[in-house]
Amino acid sequence: MAREQLQVLSVLDSAKTQMYHFTAIVIAGMGFFTDAYDLFAISLVTRLLGRIYYHKDGPKPGTLPPVVASSVTGVALVGTLCGQLFFGWLGDKMGRKRVYGMTLALMVICSFASGLSFGNEAKGVMTTLCFFRFWLGFGIGGDYPLSATIMSEYANKKTRGAFIAAVFAMQGFGILASGIVALIVSASFDHAFNAPSYATDHLGSLVPQADYIWRIILMFGAIPAALTYYWRMKMPETARYTALVAKNAKQAAQDMARVLQVEIDPEEQKVEKLVHDSKNAFGLFSKEFMRRHGLHLLGTTSTWFLLDIAFYSQNLFQKDVLSAIGWIPPAATMSAIGEVYRVAKAQTLIALCSTVPGYWFTVAFIDIFGRFAIQLMGFFFMTVFMFALALPYHHWTLHDNRIGFVVMYSLTFFFANFGPNATTFVVPAEIFPARLRSTCHGISAAAGKAGAIVGAYGFLYAAQSKDPTKTDAGYPTGIGIRYSLILLGVINLLGMLFTFLVPEPKGKSLEELSRENEEEIEPASNNATSRTVPV
C-alpha cells in the first residue's frame, strides 16, 4: 500500500522546468566535461611521450614500453574506480553537496599537477604523471555518483531522464574539447618550429619545445572545473537527501521553497513516521535489499561493465585502429608535433560527427522511448557494426575503402552514446532508495570502470598483430585488430542480454521506483515497479 508522499517531493516531481534545472545541468555537466577531457586527452599525447622519453635510433620513432603505456593510460581508470566506490558511499553518509566540492577540488589540483614532473628523465616524468593521474581519476570517480544523484533528485519525473542524460552528454563536449585543444596547441607549435618528418631527420623531427605540448594539453583540464567550484558550493543540498536521509523536513522545505519560489509545508509528522518505519531501514548487504533490488544492481553493474570494455577500448585506442587502416599515416612519415595534430584531428572528427550527436539524441528521446528501449537498441547496433567491421576486415584495410571503415566505426560511437553509454549512467540514479542511491550508483559505475580497465589493458595487447614483425616495440603478438573487433561485438551482444535485468524508470517518481513510499511491502513478483522487463 502506497503512503502519501511528502509535499516537498511531490512538488519537485511535478515542477515545471525552470532556470534552476538548467543551472544544475551546467554545474554538474561542467564536471563531466572535465572528466571526459582528462580521461581521453591522454590518448592524444601517448605517442608524443614515447618519442620524447623513449627514443632509440631506428626505422621507427620511440614508443612507450608496454608496462608504461598501460600504466599511463589505465592508472586514471583505476583511480576512477576507487573514487566511485569511496565517494559514492560518502555521498550517502555526509550528503551530496558536502562531498561534491571535495571531488572538484581534487580534479582541479591533480589535472594541473599532471603536467608537472619530477626531473626530466623518463622514470621521473612517468612516475609523476601516473601518481597525479591516479588521484585525478579518484576525484573524477566521485563525480559520477554525485552528479547523477544530485540531478535525479532535483529533476521532475517527466523530464528526469533528459536532465540526467544532459549532464552526462557534457562528456561528449569534453572529448571534443580535448581534440580541439590538442589541434590548436600542436598547430601553433608546428607553425613556430616546422620540424621535418622522422624519416627525413630522426633527431630533428623532435624539437625540444615539444615537451611543452603534452603538459599544456593535460593542464588545460583544470580550467573548466575551477570555473564552477563557487557555484557547486552555493547549491543547496537535495531535498530528498535532507528529508529522507537526514530527516530534516523543515530544512528540505525551506531549500526547495527558495529554489521553486513556492510555499511548502515541512510535514514534520510524516518525516517522524518515516524515521520509525523499520520496513525501509534495510542496508545494502541485507536480504531485503537483495530481494527488492538485487537483480536491478546485477543489471546496472553487468551492462555498464560490458559497455565500458567496448567503449573505452574504442576511444583510448582509436588512433591505433585508424593507423591500421591507413587513415593516420605511419609515424615515421610525420614529425612528433605533426603526429599529435593528425591523431587529434581524427579524434575530433569522430567526436564531432558521431560521439556528440549520439549523446544529445539520447537527451532528446530518453523520456519518449524510455531507457530500456534506447539501451537495447544501442547494444544491438554496436554489435551489428562491430561485426560489419570485423568480418570483412581485409576489405576495409584497402585504401579505397578506408573512408567507409571510418564511417562504420563512427556509427559504433554514435550508437554507444545514443544507447548504453548514456542509459547505464541514468538508470542507477533512479531505481535505488535515497539512502543508498549514491552508493549503488558508485558500485554500478565502478563495475563500468572495471570494464574500462579490462578494455584499456586488454585491448592494448590483444590488438597487436599476429605477425611478430608487425607488433609495436616490446609487445608480444596478439590476436590482431580484426579478432579484437569480433570480441568486442560478442561483448556488446552480452550487454543486450543483461539489459533485460534493468527496470524502466520512465514517468515514475524516485520513491515509487525504490518503493520507499510503501507502508506494506508486497512480494516483488506481484509489484509492477519491480518488473525488470518493461511492459
Side-chain angles (χ1 to χ4, degrees), residues 447-514:
K449 282 299 167 285
I453 292 165
V454 171
Y457 285 103
F459 194 81
L460 190 67
Y461 288 89
Q464 295 296 320
S465 174
K466 292 187 284 186
D467 182 349
T469 64
K470 296 181 180 179
T471 60
D472 292 333
Y475 286 87
T477 55
I479 59 175
I481 297 287
R482 178 174 184 260
Y483 288 102
S484 295
L485 292 174
I486 290 174
L487 183 59
L488 294 178
V490 172
I491 288 167
N492 290 327
L493 186 60
L494 289 173
M496 282 182 62
L497 299 178
F498 278 99
T499 294
F500 285 91
L501 296 176
V502 180
E504 176 54 75
K506 184 182 76 169
K508 299 184 178 78
S509 73
L510 297 179
E511 288 66 46
E512 184 182 357
L513 287 161
S514 62

Side-chain angles (χ1 to χ4, degrees), residues 368-385:
I368 300 172
F369 297 162
R371 290 68 159 153
F372 178 86
I374 289 177
Q375 183 162 311
L376 198 67
M377 175 197 68
F379 270 128
F380 172 78
F381 281 110
M382 287 172 71
T383 305
V384 168
F385 287 119

Side-chain angles (χ1 to χ4, degrees), residues 39-40 77 80 84 144 168 171 301-316 359 379 382 416-417 420-422 424-425 444-456 459 488 491-492 495:
L39 286 177
F40 294 106
L77 300 177
T80 303
Q84 287 164 335
Y144 275 74
F168 195 63
Q171 191 178 73
T301 52
S302 59
T303 51
W304 209 335
F305 173 79
L306 293 165
L307 176 275
D308 272 10
I309 293 176
F311 184 74
Y312 275 83
S313 61
Q314 282 178 264
N315 265 292
L316 292 173
Y359 281 114
F379 270 128
M382 287 172 71
N417 296 311
N421 192 42
T424 52
F425 176 81
S444 302
K449 282 299 167 285
I453 292 165
V454 171
F459 194 81
L488 294 178
I491 288 167
N492 290 327

Side-chain angles (χ1 to χ4, degrees), residues 344-366:
K345 181 180 177 182
Q347 178 167 308
T348 302
L349 286 172
I350 289 177
L352 189 62
C353 298
S354 63
T355 304
V356 172
Y359 281 114
W360 291 98
F361 265 69
T362 300
V363 174
F365 294 108
I366 192 168

Side-chain angles (χ1 to χ4, degrees), residues 48 51 185-191 193-195 205-207 209-210 213 334-342:
L48 178 62
R51 285 195 184 222
V185 174
S186 59
S188 300
F189 275 76
D190 194 40
H191 177 74
F193 302 103
N194 195 24
S205 68
L206 176 66
V207 296
Q209 292 82 0
I213 293 176
M334 298 178 283
S335 67
I337 299 174
E339 187 172 30
V340 175
Y341 181 85
R342 294 300 293 264

